[in-house]
Amino acid sequence: KSSSISSSSSKKKVLATQAEQKVAARLKASTRSQFTGIDPTQTKTRALYLKVSVGLFIPTWGAMGVREFVRRRKEEAYVKKGLEILEAQKAEYFNVTETTPDSDIEDELKDLKDDDDDDDEDDDD
């Protein structure tokens, strides 16, 4: 039985004719250029490389740049609004209003400081 198996496998090995080899080579070349975009007979131009580069750059980096620009603009608005709220809270905390002149506040602070200096002479120790 082993001799019949080996003889049947050798019968299956049939060499292709030259015409079949040429057809196979043409199919291989056309398949290669259709599915992978590789055509060894043609050289790629710089314009093709430029088109591919632009085609990849615009959707990826262009979209990310626009997104980052929009995000920064929104963040600037949020920071300005936050600073306004901070100033309002600071004014409320320190009881500062725009109607009170700065000279009046300075005078009151000087009076308070002068009063504290008088207490140094009155030591209760």
PDB file of all heavy atoms in Angstrom, residues 18-28:
ATOM      1  N   GLN A  18       4.290  26.174 -20.243  1.00  0.00           N
ATOM      2  CA  GLN A  18       4.783  27.555 -20.325  1.00  0.00           C
ATOM      3  C   GLN A  18       3.622  28.536 -20.462  1.00  0.00           C
ATOM      4  O   GLN A  18       3.666  29.627 -19.905  1.00  0.00           O
ATOM      5  CB  GLN A  18       5.745  27.696 -21.506  1.00  0.00           C
ATOM      6  CG  GLN A  18       7.071  27.022 -21.277  1.00  0.00           C
ATOM      7  CD  GLN A  18       8.011  27.220 -22.451  1.00  0.00           C
ATOM      8  OE1 GLN A  18       7.606  27.700 -23.514  1.00  0.00           O
ATOM      9  NE2 GLN A  18       9.277  26.860 -22.255  1.00  0.00           N
ATOM     10  N   ALA A  19       2.593  28.165 -21.169  1.00  0.00           N
ATOM     11  CA  ALA A  19       1.434  29.039 -21.328  1.00  0.00           C
ATOM     12  C   ALA A  19       0.747  29.253 -19.987  1.00  0.00           C
ATOM     13  O   ALA A  19       0.346  30.369 -19.638  1.00  0.00           O
ATOM     14  CB  ALA A  19       0.455  28.449 -22.332  1.00  0.00           C
ATOM     15  N   GLU A  20       0.647  28.191 -19.202  1.00  0.00           N
ATOM     16  CA  GLU A  20       0.015  28.308 -17.885  1.00  0.00           C
ATOM     17  C   GLU A  20       0.876  29.145 -16.943  1.00  0.00           C
ATOM     18  O   GLU A  20       0.365  29.913 -16.136  1.00  0.00           O
ATOM     19  CB  GLU A  20      -0.220  26.910 -17.299  1.00  0.00           C
ATOM     20  CG  GLU A  20      -1.300  26.122 -18.011  1.00  0.00           C
ATOM     21  CD  GLU A  20      -1.402  24.692 -17.512  1.00  0.00           C
ATOM     22  OE1 GLU A  20      -0.422  24.176 -16.952  1.00  0.00           O
ATOM     23  OE2 GLU A  20      -2.476  24.108 -17.694  1.00  0.00           O
ATOM     24  N   GLN A  21       2.180  29.025 -17.076  1.00  0.00           N
ATOM     25  CA  GLN A  21       3.079  29.830 -16.250  1.00  0.00           C
ATOM     26  C   GLN A  21       2.956  31.319 -16.598  1.00  0.00           C
ATOM     27  O   GLN A  21       2.981  32.170 -15.713  1.00  0.00           O
ATOM     28  CB  GLN A  21       4.522  29.362 -16.421  1.00  0.00           C
ATOM     29  CG  GLN A  21       4.797  28.013 -15.767  1.00  0.00           C
ATOM     30  CD  GLN A  21       6.217  27.531 -16.010  1.00  0.00           C
ATOM     31  OE1 GLN A  21       6.988  28.144 -16.772  1.00  0.00           O
ATOM     32  NE2 GLN A  21       6.579  26.427 -15.372  1.00  0.00           N
ATOM     33  N   LYS A  22       2.799  31.637 -17.873  1.00  0.00           N
ATOM     34  CA  LYS A  22       2.637  33.033 -18.285  1.00  0.00           C
ATOM     35  C   LYS A  22       1.318  33.603 -17.757  1.00  0.00           C
ATOM     36  O   LYS A  22       1.262  34.735 -17.277  1.00  0.00           O
ATOM     37  CB  LYS A  22       2.682  33.155 -19.807  1.00  0.00           C
ATOM     38  CG  LYS A  22       4.052  32.955 -20.401  1.00  0.00           C
ATOM     39  CD  LYS A  22       4.021  33.094 -21.904  1.00  0.00           C
ATOM     40  CE  LYS A  22       5.396  32.833 -22.502  1.00  0.00           C
ATOM     41  NZ  LYS A  22       5.389  32.915 -23.967  1.00  0.00           N
ATOM     42  N   VAL A  23       0.247  32.802 -17.832  1.00  0.00           N
ATOM     43  CA  VAL A  23      -1.047  33.246 -17.317  1.00  0.00           C
ATOM     44  C   VAL A  23      -0.964  33.472 -15.810  1.00  0.00           C
ATOM     45  O   VAL A  23      -1.468  34.466 -15.278  1.00  0.00           O
ATOM     46  CB  VAL A  23      -2.156  32.213 -17.667  1.00  0.00           C
ATOM     47  CG1 VAL A  23      -3.443  32.528 -16.929  1.00  0.00           C
ATOM     48  CG2 VAL A  23      -2.386  32.169 -19.158  1.00  0.00           C
ATOM     49  N   ALA A  24      -0.292  32.553 -15.128  1.00  0.00           N
ATOM     50  CA  ALA A  24      -0.134  32.683 -13.678  1.00  0.00           C
ATOM     51  C   ALA A  24       0.673  33.935 -13.331  1.00  0.00           C
ATOM     52  O   ALA A  24       0.357  34.649 -12.378  1.00  0.00           O
ATOM     53  CB  ALA A  24       0.533  31.440 -13.109  1.00  0.00           C
ATOM     54  N   ALA A  25       1.703  34.241 -14.086  1.00  0.00           N
ATOM     55  CA  ALA A  25       2.514  35.435 -13.836  1.00  0.00           C
ATOM     56  C   ALA A  25       1.697  36.701 -14.061  1.00  0.00           C
ATOM     57  O   ALA A  25       1.794  37.663 -13.285  1.00  0.00           O
ATOM     58  CB  ALA A  25       3.747  35.425 -14.730  1.00  0.00           C
ATOM     59  N   ARG A  26       0.866  36.716 -15.142  1.00  0.00           N
ATOM     60  CA  ARG A  26       0.023  37.888 -15.381  1.00  0.00           C
ATOM     61  C   ARG A  26      -1.009  38.063 -14.274  1.00  0.00           C
ATOM     62  O   ARG A  26      -1.256  39.184 -13.816  1.00  0.00           O
ATOM     63  CB  ARG A  26      -0.680  37.767 -16.735  1.00  0.00           C
ATOM     64  CG  ARG A  26       0.186  38.277 -17.873  1.00  0.00           C
ATOM     65  CD  ARG A  26      -0.589  38.350 -19.169  1.00  0.00           C
ATOM     66  NE  ARG A  26      -0.356  37.072 -19.861  1.00  0.00           N
ATOM     67  CZ  ARG A  26      -1.288  36.323 -20.437  1.00  0.00           C
ATOM     68  NH1 ARG A  26      -2.532  36.717 -20.467  1.00  0.00           N
ATOM     69  NH2 ARG A  26      -0.981  35.188 -21.013  1.00  0.00           N
ATOM     70  N   LEU A  27      -1.611  36.984 -13.838  1.00  0.00           N
ATOM     71  CA  LEU A  27      -2.583  37.061 -12.737  1.00  0.00           C
ATOM     72  C   LEU A  27      -1.922  37.546 -11.450  1.00  0.00           C
ATOM     73  O   LEU A  27      -2.485  38.349 -10.710  1.00  0.00           O
ATOM     74  CB  LEU A  27      -3.242  35.694 -12.496  1.00  0.00           C
ATOM     75  CG  LEU A  27      -4.294  35.273 -13.503  1.00  0.00           C
ATOM     76  CD1 LEU A  27      -4.731  33.841 -13.242  1.00  0.00           C
ATOM     77  CD2 LEU A  27      -5.477  36.205 -13.422  1.00  0.00           C
ATOM     78  N   LYS A  28      -0.724  37.065 -11.201  1.00  0.00           N
ATOM     79  CA  LYS A  28       0.007  37.481  -9.999  1.00  0.00           C
ATOM     80  C   LYS A  28       0.302  38.984 -10.043  1.00  0.00           C
ATOM     81  O   LYS A  28       0.108  39.712  -9.067  1.00  0.00           O
ATOM     82  CB  LYS A  28       1.306  36.692  -9.881  1.00  0.00           C
ATOM     83  CG  LYS A  28       2.109  37.019  -8.664  1.00  0.00           C
ATOM     84  CD  LYS A  28       3.375  36.176  -8.621  1.00  0.00           C
ATOM     85  CE  LYS A  28       4.225  36.536  -7.434  1.00  0.00           C
ATOM     86  NZ  LYS A  28       5.491  35.783  -7.432  1.00  0.00           N
TER      87      LYS A  28
END
